[in-house]
Amino acid sequence: MKQSDKIYVAGHRGLVGSAIVKNLKSKGYQNIIGRTHQELNLTSQQEVRDFFASEQPEIVVLAAAKVGGINANNTAPADFAYENMQIQCNVIKCSHDFHVKKLLFLGSTCIYPKLAPQPIPEEALLTGPLEETNEAYAIAKIAGMEMCRFFKQQYGDNFISCMPTNLYGPHDNYDLSGSHVMPAMIRKFHDAKVNNSSSVELWGTGTPLREFLYVDDMADACVFLLENYNGERHVNIGTGKEITIKELAETVQRVVGYQGEIVWNGDMPDGMPRKLTDVSKLHALGWKHKIELEDGIKLAYQWFRENVEKARL
């Protein structure tokens, strides 16, 4: 990858894409293009083909996706499956047809079986049933990752995939109807603090174990892989460290400064009991995370106050 290459980041304004754009620019890559959903509907095959024909990108980062938490995945599985597969099929096929030099596809930890061995190695893919609460999204992501592998096998395309763990940070979704666990907690504790609420209700039992990676670290790993990795199999991106949801809630509560009670609603789903990635492959390639969890939560909360809360006020 050369610094003069034209790099198209699909989803450049989202949590993942914006962090990747920032990281690329910090490393001297300035020829970066992006399109909003209004400017380019990635589910439209014709619009995507017209874009590739006009812009002729040399590097593609596919970070665009329809995403959401357990509630969103549970209530709209058909939308999650259809829209994500449309996006992936259009961008990956056009990357092949228009001779893109390299493509990076971003997966998700939900691609792994519900009862995968822990920590989860890359080889666990397709070895067992998926977690039901995000099965549709997982199937779409698996299809995208495998499609990249098939294009590499059949045509020699340099299409690689990575599998980031749970991400958080600037430009996250703080809408409680569709947010993931970290931004939902930040929003709930902040609102409770502002409104002097005596308690905050959180879903589940608090017992599941999860791994969290600050999005700037994820972006650094993605650019590292673009520069250094050309393998056929996907690569896990994470910290290799885990925490219970209860411990996470207490950490977010402490960072936000909320003094009230946490009430766990055990009638709501927990999701997978444990989800920790095996990052030995990434470490062997020469990359490790830099931002630890509590420091990352402080950065995320600062961004929330300066952007989401300020906009609401």
PDB file of all heavy atoms in Angstrom, residues 66 70-85 132-140:
ATOM      1  N   LYS A  66     -25.211  -2.266   8.581  1.00  0.00           N
ATOM      2  CA  LYS A  66     -26.358  -1.991   9.447  1.00  0.00           C
ATOM      3  C   LYS A  66     -26.064  -2.684  10.764  1.00  0.00           C
ATOM      4  O   LYS A  66     -25.916  -3.914  10.797  1.00  0.00           O
ATOM      5  CB  LYS A  66     -27.651  -2.532   8.838  1.00  0.00           C
ATOM      6  CG  LYS A  66     -28.892  -2.308   9.716  1.00  0.00           C
ATOM      7  CD  LYS A  66     -30.136  -2.831   9.044  1.00  0.00           C
ATOM      8  CE  LYS A  66     -31.372  -2.680   9.933  1.00  0.00           C
ATOM      9  NZ  LYS A  66     -31.673  -1.257  10.242  1.00  0.00           N
ATOM     10  N   ILE A  70     -28.766  -6.023  20.971  1.00  0.00           N
ATOM     11  CA  ILE A  70     -29.612  -7.215  21.046  1.00  0.00           C
ATOM     12  C   ILE A  70     -31.047  -6.902  20.644  1.00  0.00           C
ATOM     13  O   ILE A  70     -31.665  -7.629  19.861  1.00  0.00           O
ATOM     14  CB  ILE A  70     -29.583  -7.813  22.477  1.00  0.00           C
ATOM     15  CG1 ILE A  70     -28.215  -8.435  22.757  1.00  0.00           C
ATOM     16  CG2 ILE A  70     -30.663  -8.870  22.652  1.00  0.00           C
ATOM     17  CD1 ILE A  70     -28.057  -8.977  24.173  1.00  0.00           C
ATOM     18  N   ASN A  71     -31.597  -5.805  21.148  1.00  0.00           N
ATOM     19  CA  ASN A  71     -32.987  -5.467  20.846  1.00  0.00           C
ATOM     20  C   ASN A  71     -33.198  -5.244  19.361  1.00  0.00           C
ATOM     21  O   ASN A  71     -34.151  -5.774  18.769  1.00  0.00           O
ATOM     22  CB  ASN A  71     -33.408  -4.223  21.635  1.00  0.00           C
ATOM     23  CG  ASN A  71     -34.862  -3.862  21.389  1.00  0.00           C
ATOM     24  OD1 ASN A  71     -35.755  -4.679  21.603  1.00  0.00           O
ATOM     25  ND2 ASN A  71     -35.108  -2.632  20.950  1.00  0.00           N
ATOM     26  N   ALA A  72     -32.307  -4.480  18.737  1.00  0.00           N
ATOM     27  CA  ALA A  72     -32.444  -4.200  17.308  1.00  0.00           C
ATOM     28  C   ALA A  72     -32.315  -5.476  16.480  1.00  0.00           C
ATOM     29  O   ALA A  72     -33.083  -5.709  15.533  1.00  0.00           O
ATOM     30  CB  ALA A  72     -31.387  -3.177  16.876  1.00  0.00           C
ATOM     31  N   ASN A  73     -31.353  -6.320  16.823  1.00  0.00           N
ATOM     32  CA  ASN A  73     -31.160  -7.569  16.092  1.00  0.00           C
ATOM     33  C   ASN A  73     -32.343  -8.506  16.255  1.00  0.00           C
ATOM     34  O   ASN A  73     -32.721  -9.219  15.317  1.00  0.00           O
ATOM     35  CB  ASN A  73     -29.880  -8.272  16.576  1.00  0.00           C
ATOM     36  CG  ASN A  73     -28.630  -7.742  15.902  1.00  0.00           C
ATOM     37  OD1 ASN A  73     -28.236  -8.223  14.852  1.00  0.00           O
ATOM     38  ND2 ASN A  73     -28.018  -6.738  16.496  1.00  0.00           N
ATOM     39  N   ASN A  74     -32.923  -8.531  17.439  1.00  0.00           N
ATOM     40  CA  ASN A  74     -34.055  -9.418  17.714  1.00  0.00           C
ATOM     41  C   ASN A  74     -35.315  -9.007  16.967  1.00  0.00           C
ATOM     42  O   ASN A  74     -36.096  -9.848  16.534  1.00  0.00           O
ATOM     43  CB  ASN A  74     -34.358  -9.437  19.215  1.00  0.00           C
ATOM     44  CG  ASN A  74     -33.683 -10.595  19.925  1.00  0.00           C
ATOM     45  OD1 ASN A  74     -33.339 -11.589  19.308  1.00  0.00           O
ATOM     46  ND2 ASN A  74     -33.495 -10.462  21.223  1.00  0.00           N
ATOM     47  N   THR A  75     -35.520  -7.709  16.835  1.00  0.00           N
ATOM     48  CA  THR A  75     -36.779  -7.217  16.263  1.00  0.00           C
ATOM     49  C   THR A  75     -36.744  -7.033  14.756  1.00  0.00           C
ATOM     50  O   THR A  75     -37.789  -6.969  14.129  1.00  0.00           O
ATOM     51  CB  THR A  75     -37.171  -5.875  16.916  1.00  0.00           C
ATOM     52  OG1 THR A  75     -36.084  -4.950  16.788  1.00  0.00           O
ATOM     53  CG2 THR A  75     -37.488  -6.067  18.391  1.00  0.00           C
ATOM     54  N   ALA A  76     -35.547  -6.982  14.148  1.00  0.00           N
ATOM     55  CA  ALA A  76     -35.468  -6.761  12.699  1.00  0.00           C
ATOM     56  C   ALA A  76     -34.423  -7.661  12.035  1.00  0.00           C
ATOM     57  O   ALA A  76     -33.558  -7.178  11.308  1.00  0.00           O
ATOM     58  CB  ALA A  76     -35.166  -5.285  12.413  1.00  0.00           C
ATOM     59  N   PRO A  77     -34.491  -8.984  12.250  1.00  0.00           N
ATOM     60  CA  PRO A  77     -33.455  -9.864  11.699  1.00  0.00           C
ATOM     61  C   PRO A  77     -33.407  -9.867  10.179  1.00  0.00           C
ATOM     62  O   PRO A  77     -32.323  -9.957   9.591  1.00  0.00           O
ATOM     63  CB  PRO A  77     -33.831 -11.234  12.259  1.00  0.00           C
ATOM     64  CG  PRO A  77     -35.292 -11.156  12.561  1.00  0.00           C
ATOM     65  CD  PRO A  77     -35.509  -9.741  13.010  1.00  0.00           C
ATOM     66  N   ALA A  78     -34.559  -9.786   9.530  1.00  0.00           N
ATOM     67  CA  ALA A  78     -34.568  -9.791   8.062  1.00  0.00           C
ATOM     68  C   ALA A  78     -33.846  -8.566   7.513  1.00  0.00           C
ATOM     69  O   ALA A  78     -33.087  -8.668   6.539  1.00  0.00           O
ATOM     70  CB  ALA A  78     -36.004  -9.832   7.549  1.00  0.00           C
ATOM     71  N   ASP A  79     -34.061  -7.420   8.138  1.00  0.00           N
ATOM     72  CA  ASP A  79     -33.389  -6.192   7.693  1.00  0.00           C
ATOM     73  C   ASP A  79     -31.878  -6.300   7.868  1.00  0.00           C
ATOM     74  O   ASP A  79     -31.114  -5.877   6.994  1.00  0.00           O
ATOM     75  CB  ASP A  79     -33.909  -4.985   8.491  1.00  0.00           C
ATOM     76  CG  ASP A  79     -35.377  -4.699   8.220  1.00  0.00           C
ATOM     77  OD1 ASP A  79     -35.906  -5.213   7.215  1.00  0.00           O
ATOM     78  OD2 ASP A  79     -35.999  -3.981   9.023  1.00  0.00           O
ATOM     79  N   PHE A  80     -31.453  -6.859   9.002  1.00  0.00           N
ATOM     80  CA  PHE A  80     -30.021  -6.991   9.256  1.00  0.00           C
ATOM     81  C   PHE A  80     -29.368  -7.943   8.248  1.00  0.00           C
ATOM     82  O   PHE A  80     -28.272  -7.683   7.750  1.00  0.00           O
ATOM     83  CB  PHE A  80     -29.763  -7.468  10.691  1.00  0.00           C
ATOM     84  CG  PHE A  80     -29.757  -6.353  11.694  1.00  0.00           C
ATOM     85  CD1 PHE A  80     -30.934  -5.895  12.257  1.00  0.00           C
ATOM     86  CD2 PHE A  80     -28.566  -5.746  12.052  1.00  0.00           C
ATOM     87  CE1 PHE A  80     -30.926  -4.852  13.178  1.00  0.00           C
ATOM     88  CE2 PHE A  80     -28.546  -4.704  12.975  1.00  0.00           C
ATOM     89  CZ  PHE A  80     -29.732  -4.253  13.535  1.00  0.00           C
ATOM     90  N   ALA A  81     -30.037  -9.050   7.942  1.00  0.00           N
ATOM     91  CA  ALA A  81     -29.479 -10.011   6.990  1.00  0.00           C
ATOM     92  C   ALA A  81     -29.450  -9.418   5.584  1.00  0.00           C
ATOM     93  O   ALA A  81     -28.409  -9.428   4.905  1.00  0.00           O
ATOM     94  CB  ALA A  81     -30.295 -11.302   7.010  1.00  0.00           C
ATOM     95  N   TYR A  82     -30.579  -8.880   5.141  1.00  0.00           N
ATOM     96  CA  TYR A  82     -30.693  -8.408   3.757  1.00  0.00           C
ATOM     97  C   TYR A  82     -29.775  -7.218   3.480  1.00  0.00           C
ATOM     98  O   TYR A  82     -28.996  -7.237   2.515  1.00  0.00           O
ATOM     99  CB  TYR A  82     -32.141  -8.029   3.464  1.00  0.00           C
ATOM    100  CG  TYR A  82     -32.345  -7.447   2.086  1.00  0.00           C
ATOM    101  CD1 TYR A  82     -32.349  -8.268   0.959  1.00  0.00           C
ATOM    102  CD2 TYR A  82     -32.512  -6.081   1.907  1.00  0.00           C
ATOM    103  CE1 TYR A  82     -32.524  -7.732  -0.311  1.00  0.00           C
ATOM    104  CE2 TYR A  82     -32.685  -5.544   0.644  1.00  0.00           C
ATOM    105  CZ  TYR A  82     -32.691  -6.373  -0.464  1.00  0.00           C
ATOM    106  OH  TYR A  82     -32.855  -5.833  -1.713  1.00  0.00           O
ATOM    107  N   GLU A  83     -29.852  -6.185   4.300  1.00  0.00           N
ATOM    108  CA  GLU A  83     -29.092  -4.967   4.012  1.00  0.00           C
ATOM    109  C   GLU A  83     -27.590  -5.207   4.065  1.00  0.00           C
ATOM    110  O   GLU A  83     -26.838  -4.717   3.226  1.00  0.00           O
ATOM    111  CB  GLU A  83     -29.498  -3.840   4.980  1.00  0.00           C
ATOM    112  CG  GLU A  83     -30.901  -3.316   4.722  1.00  0.00           C
ATOM    113  CD  GLU A  83     -31.247  -2.123   5.596  1.00  0.00           C
ATOM    114  OE1 GLU A  83     -30.335  -1.325   5.895  1.00  0.00           O
ATOM    115  OE2 GLU A  83     -32.423  -1.999   5.985  1.00  0.00           O
ATOM    116  N   ASN A  84     -27.139  -5.985   5.045  1.00  0.00           N
ATOM    117  CA  ASN A  84     -25.696  -6.234   5.141  1.00  0.00           C
ATOM    118  C   ASN A  84     -25.192  -7.090   3.986  1.00  0.00           C
ATOM    119  O   ASN A  84     -24.117  -6.833   3.449  1.00  0.00           O
ATOM    120  CB  ASN A  84     -25.363  -6.865   6.496  1.00  0.00           C
ATOM    121  CG  ASN A  84     -25.342  -5.827   7.605  1.00  0.00           C
ATOM    122  OD1 ASN A  84     -24.597  -4.860   7.550  1.00  0.00           O
ATOM    123  ND2 ASN A  84     -26.173  -6.011   8.608  1.00  0.00           N
ATOM    124  N   MET A  85     -25.961  -8.081   3.583  1.00  0.00           N
ATOM    125  CA  MET A  85     -25.516  -8.897   2.458  1.00  0.00           C
ATOM    126  C   MET A  85     -25.537  -8.105   1.146  1.00  0.00           C
ATOM    127  O   MET A  85     -24.669  -8.286   0.291  1.00  0.00           O
ATOM    128  CB  MET A  85     -26.338 -10.177   2.367  1.00  0.00           C
ATOM    129  CG  MET A  85     -25.928 -11.190   3.429  1.00  0.00           C
ATOM    130  SD  MET A  85     -26.539 -12.859   3.178  1.00  0.00           S
ATOM    131  CE  MET A  85     -28.110 -12.753   4.000  1.00  0.00           C
ATOM    132  N   GLU A 132     -28.526 -16.928  19.150  1.00  0.00           N
ATOM    133  CA  GLU A 132     -29.795 -16.639  18.471  1.00  0.00           C
ATOM    134  C   GLU A 132     -30.106 -15.145  18.388  1.00  0.00           C
ATOM    135  O   GLU A 132     -30.736 -14.697  17.425  1.00  0.00           O
ATOM    136  CB  GLU A 132     -30.944 -17.362  19.191  1.00  0.00           C
ATOM    137  CG  GLU A 132     -30.847 -18.881  19.178  1.00  0.00           C
ATOM    138  CD  GLU A 132     -30.009 -19.439  20.313  1.00  0.00           C
ATOM    139  OE1 GLU A 132     -29.387 -18.627  21.050  1.00  0.00           O
ATOM    140  OE2 GLU A 132     -29.953 -20.672  20.462  1.00  0.00           O
ATOM    141  N   THR A 133     -29.679 -14.365  19.385  1.00  0.00           N
ATOM    142  CA  THR A 133     -30.098 -12.963  19.445  1.00  0.00           C
ATOM    143  C   THR A 133     -29.468 -12.086  18.364  1.00  0.00           C
ATOM    144  O   THR A 133     -29.953 -10.983  18.117  1.00  0.00           O
ATOM    145  CB  THR A 133     -29.779 -12.354  20.821  1.00  0.00           C
ATOM    146  OG1 THR A 133     -28.386 -12.536  21.104  1.00  0.00           O
ATOM    147  CG2 THR A 133     -30.614 -13.017  21.904  1.00  0.00           C
ATOM    148  N   ASN A 134     -28.379 -12.543  17.729  1.00  0.00           N
ATOM    149  CA  ASN A 134     -27.817 -11.750  16.623  1.00  0.00           C
ATOM    150  C   ASN A 134     -27.432 -12.638  15.439  1.00  0.00           C
ATOM    151  O   ASN A 134     -26.505 -12.341  14.710  1.00  0.00           O
ATOM    152  CB  ASN A 134     -26.627 -10.907  17.090  1.00  0.00           C
ATOM    153  CG  ASN A 134     -25.590 -11.746  17.821  1.00  0.00           C
ATOM    154  OD1 ASN A 134     -25.485 -12.955  17.625  1.00  0.00           O
ATOM    155  ND2 ASN A 134     -24.807 -11.094  18.662  1.00  0.00           N
ATOM    156  N   GLU A 135     -28.198 -13.709  15.251  1.00  0.00           N
ATOM    157  CA  GLU A 135     -27.890 -14.699  14.229  1.00  0.00           C
ATOM    158  C   GLU A 135     -27.914 -14.106  12.821  1.00  0.00           C
ATOM    159  O   GLU A 135     -27.052 -14.410  11.985  1.00  0.00           O
ATOM    160  CB  GLU A 135     -28.885 -15.858  14.327  1.00  0.00           C
ATOM    161  CG  GLU A 135     -28.594 -17.000  13.376  1.00  0.00           C
ATOM    162  CD  GLU A 135     -29.597 -18.132  13.535  1.00  0.00           C
ATOM    163  OE1 GLU A 135     -30.698 -17.885  14.064  1.00  0.00           O
ATOM    164  OE2 GLU A 135     -29.276 -19.255  13.111  1.00  0.00           O
ATOM    165  N   ALA A 136     -28.894 -13.259  12.523  1.00  0.00           N
ATOM    166  CA  ALA A 136     -29.023 -12.710  11.177  1.00  0.00           C
ATOM    167  C   ALA A 136     -27.809 -11.861  10.799  1.00  0.00           C
ATOM    168  O   ALA A 136     -27.266 -11.985   9.689  1.00  0.00           O
ATOM    169  CB  ALA A 136     -30.299 -11.880  11.076  1.00  0.00           C
ATOM    170  N   TYR A 137     -27.401 -11.005  11.710  1.00  0.00           N
ATOM    171  CA  TYR A 137     -26.221 -10.165  11.463  1.00  0.00           C
ATOM    172  C   TYR A 137     -24.975 -11.032  11.315  1.00  0.00           C
ATOM    173  O   TYR A 137     -24.129 -10.800  10.439  1.00  0.00           O
ATOM    174  CB  TYR A 137     -26.056  -9.179  12.621  1.00  0.00           C
ATOM    175  CG  TYR A 137     -24.886  -8.230  12.477  1.00  0.00           C
ATOM    176  CD1 TYR A 137     -24.915  -7.206  11.529  1.00  0.00           C
ATOM    177  CD2 TYR A 137     -23.764  -8.338  13.301  1.00  0.00           C
ATOM    178  CE1 TYR A 137     -23.853  -6.322  11.410  1.00  0.00           C
ATOM    179  CE2 TYR A 137     -22.704  -7.456  13.184  1.00  0.00           C
ATOM    180  CZ  TYR A 137     -22.759  -6.460  12.238  1.00  0.00           C
ATOM    181  OH  TYR A 137     -21.697  -5.590  12.115  1.00  0.00           O
ATOM    182  N   ALA A 138     -24.864 -12.052  12.169  1.00  0.00           N
ATOM    183  CA  ALA A 138     -23.704 -12.940  12.130  1.00  0.00           C
ATOM    184  C   ALA A 138     -23.605 -13.669  10.793  1.00  0.00           C
ATOM    185  O   ALA A 138     -22.524 -13.760  10.194  1.00  0.00           O
ATOM    186  CB  ALA A 138     -23.778 -13.945  13.275  1.00  0.00           C
ATOM    187  N   ILE A 139     -24.732 -14.177  10.310  1.00  0.00           N
ATOM    188  CA  ILE A 139     -24.735 -14.910   9.040  1.00  0.00           C
ATOM    189  C   ILE A 139     -24.314 -13.995   7.894  1.00  0.00           C
ATOM    190  O   ILE A 139     -23.550 -14.397   7.004  1.00  0.00           O
ATOM    191  CB  ILE A 139     -26.113 -15.536   8.789  1.00  0.00           C
ATOM    192  CG1 ILE A 139     -26.315 -16.720   9.739  1.00  0.00           C
ATOM    193  CG2 ILE A 139     -26.267 -15.985   7.342  1.00  0.00           C
ATOM    194  CD1 ILE A 139     -27.698 -17.334   9.705  1.00  0.00           C
ATOM    195  N   ALA A 140     -24.783 -12.759   7.914  1.00  0.00           N
ATOM    196  CA  ALA A 140     -24.384 -11.812   6.870  1.00  0.00           C
ATOM    197  C   ALA A 140     -22.881 -11.552   6.921  1.00  0.00           C
ATOM    198  O   ALA A 140     -22.203 -11.550   5.881  1.00  0.00           O
ATOM    199  CB  ALA A 140     -25.154 -10.502   7.034  1.00  0.00           C
TER     200      ALA A 140
END
